[in-house]
Amino acid sequence: MAPQRFHEQFDHIQRSLPDVPLTMGPDDSAGFLYEKGVVLVRDGEEAGFVEDTVRTHFTETQGLVPDHVRRIGPQAGRTGVTRIRVGDPAEGEDTVPHALRAVREAEDRQGRRLVGRNHVVHIAPVNACPGDEPVPAPRTEPANPAPAEGGYDPGTAVGVLVVDTGLVHDHRSYPLLAHTSGDTQLTETDDHGVLRQYVGHGTFIAGLLAAVAPNTDITVRGTLNDAGAVLESEFGALLFEAVDRDGWPDIISLSAGTPSADHDGLIGLDAFMRELREQRTLLVAAAGNNGCDTPFWPAAYAALPEYADCVLSVGALRADGESGACFTNHGPWVRVHAPGERLTSALTGFVTPVPYVYQHSTYDTCRFGADYPCTCQYPRHTGVLSEGRESTGAKPDQVMFEGLAQWSGTSFATPVAAGLVAARMTAYRERDPRAAGAALLADATERAEVRGAHVPALRPPTWRPVPAVIPAVPA
């Protein structure tokens, strides 16, 4: 099946970044998005070396000295990276692969990667191929996971930072989020009063965290408000900004990232990850929703020895909890799986009902080849972005959110796992989040089947498995 949802998402993200020419790779295979004609390097001598190497390569192979090979944009700043233009995007062919090949021999000699693509980092259930879109939950359906026992004590609460979209304006009308703080969503609805895509993502995550771990001080930063997408060259600085505002927390819950052809991380996150390693903070990061084993960063840092104790990568279990959700990324770099399909939490508050128009259409069969009634197929709806919709006359479906919602993705397995770490810290009076995370994994005796492998699984006591049947359409 053609990756239609990937291309729909590509177009949507390109509109959100109108001044940045984007392309996809590798070789148009719907793996990841990146800035066309630009590579990312560490500032200083390496940047100058890359410029000279690429210019020499183009001179020898094409018989000209391209004057467009130069550093662009602001100074590297705290992240220690800068962008180098290696081609003119208006000329058509993307020159980034040629530039990367030009530097590979030098990298082999130095034993270190010097240059990489400037990836687009995006919210995990909306990584170029979304897990799904939110669905209004039946009015009689309670939160799932349900609120755990225990109260909130500001003196002992575990500090959790959610780096995501901002909170909806009426989030405190949902009791679990009464003491949640942070940034509000800049614009929630369009000119017609319809909920914008991905609005409520951060609120939904905060609701899951508060349900699993009531004794938490949750701060939500709207770092990814702009369609959930940001260039890698800017992402490190935004993460620094988020932790600098309130200090390094006990736990960071991050439901964003990107696949990459590189296997040693993202150059744009080098500085942030090095500083994270020196803190006591545990980064809990989503494994992504491409349904493959390609490392998804920054979650995949969990597989690198120097970051194994400070990063917890989380994949998603399907609604019945027995195996992996069809969309979840997988592989040895994913440390644990948690429920991430058809979870129920607060998308908006309860003050004003708000309509939403679906952007993507469901598929006739699972786009990842699964044989259960997954969210690729149900509940059925037609989306605005679907190719061929106008020729068939199909109208996009609209729903009304006036309470809880169901949503799926590794984005939501991530706060479930982060909440379990926080809950363990409270239960055992543990002040070290990394020690709590390691103990949680060590004590995890439950397993789930994910693409033929039996992997560690975390299932909150208050989470209810949902049978693998076609769900009813909400009333």
Side-chain angles (χ1 to χ4, degrees), residues 143-148 150 152 171-180 206-214 216 218 344-346 350 404:
N144 188 23
Y152 167 68
H171 68 276
R172 286 185 173 159
S173 63
Y174 184 53
L176 287 179
L177 298 180
H179 58 269
T180 297
L208 293 172
L209 261 165
V212 175
T216 46
I218 302 171
T344 306
S345 182
F350 300 95
L404 298 178

Side-chain angles (χ1 to χ4, degrees), residues 420-458:
L420 287 171
V421 174
R424 186 179 181 96
M425 291 178 68
T426 295
Y428 289 86
R429 298 183 180 179
E430 173 64 71
R431 300 188 63 83
D432 184 345
R434 297 179 183 178
L440 185 68
L441 291 184
D443 292 346
T445 59
E446 296 185 3
R447 293 291 186 270
E449 191 276 328
V450 180
R451 300 296 175 116
H454 292 275
V455 300
L458 299 175

Side-chain angles (χ1 to χ4, degrees), residues 165-215:
T165 63
L167 294 159
V168 294
H169 74 282
D170 58 347
H171 68 276
R172 286 185 173 159
S173 63
Y174 184 53
L176 287 179
L177 298 180
H179 58 269
T180 297
S181 61
D183 303 326
T184 55
Q185 184 79 35
L186 298 178
T187 306
E188 296 180 11
T189 58
D190 61 18
D191 294 339
H192 303 288
V194 176
L195 197 68
R196 292 181 180 273
Q197 198 173 12
Y198 318 134
V199 167
H201 190 264
T203 304
F204 196 93
I205 286 172
L208 293 172
L209 261 165
V212 175
N215 193 31

